[in-house]
Amino acid sequence: MTTTARTALLAVALLASAPAFAQDIAAGERSWNKCRACHQIGEGARNLVGPHLNGLFGRHTGAVEGYAYSSANKGADITWDEAKFAEYIKNPRAMIPGTKMIFAGIKNEKEIADLTAFLKQFDKDGKKL
């Protein structure tokens, strides 16, 4: 194989393995403003209209202590990961019919990726990783 062919093959492999969007935490924090009326995150976060979102990824639906979830959320049997969150945040009521979350959703994939990056910074205690 020639050097040019190897270089081209390497470039294709790198592009194929690259994420679709570079995540921008600062943009995710701006997007978080859509969430903060109902949710808190960070050290000292508490439940409001919605549960706090510390340690969201890897957490099971209905698992935040002290928050009164709908039976739909309790029974949803979802463990939050990036893909489930992206699906949910586009249209919460479509994914979990009967949820108490009244939110029109975020449809833009880049904004969802940025918001995800922002949320993933916080562990279950609200400390930044």
Side-chain angles (χ1 to χ4, degrees):
M1 185 180 293
T2 68
T3 302
T4 304
R6 275 191 293 244
T7 303
L9 186 59
L10 178 60
V12 168
L14 288 173
L15 287 173
S17 66
F21 301 106
Q23 295 178 336
D24 181 342
I25 291 173
E29 186 171 9
R30 288 188 299 277
S31 183
W32 166 252
N33 287 325
K34 295 177 180 179
C35 311
R36 65 183 318 135
C38 297
H39 299 278
Q40 287 189 350
I41 198 163
E43 292 185 62
R46 28 184 203 98
N47 298 324
L48 299 175
V49 173
H52 71 75
L53 297 180
N54 290 335
L56 175 64
F57 297 96
R59 186 169 82 197
H60 195 266
T61 48
V64 172
E65 189 174 319
Y67 183 73
Y69 286 96
S70 66
S71 56
N73 260 69
K74 287 181 197 173
D77 195 30
I78 295 169
T79 299
W80 296 112
D81 62 19
E82 289 182 29
K84 290 289 184 190
F85 176 73
E87 180 184 350
Y88 180 75
I89 203 65
K90 286 177 187 173
N91 187 346
R93 290 179 172 250
M95 186 169 166
I96 304 178
T99 184
K100 294 192 301 187
M101 186 159 160
I102 301 171
F103 181 64
I106 297 173
K107 311 299 186 227
N108 181 286
E109 298 285 341
K110 173 75 170 112
E111 184 177 358
I112 293 168
D114 294 343
L115 178 59
T116 298
F118 174 74
L119 295 172
K120 286 183 80 173
Q121 296 182 97
F122 298 92
D123 70 12
K124 67 180 181 64
D125 297 318
K127 294 185 173 131
K128 283 193 175 183
L129 302 172

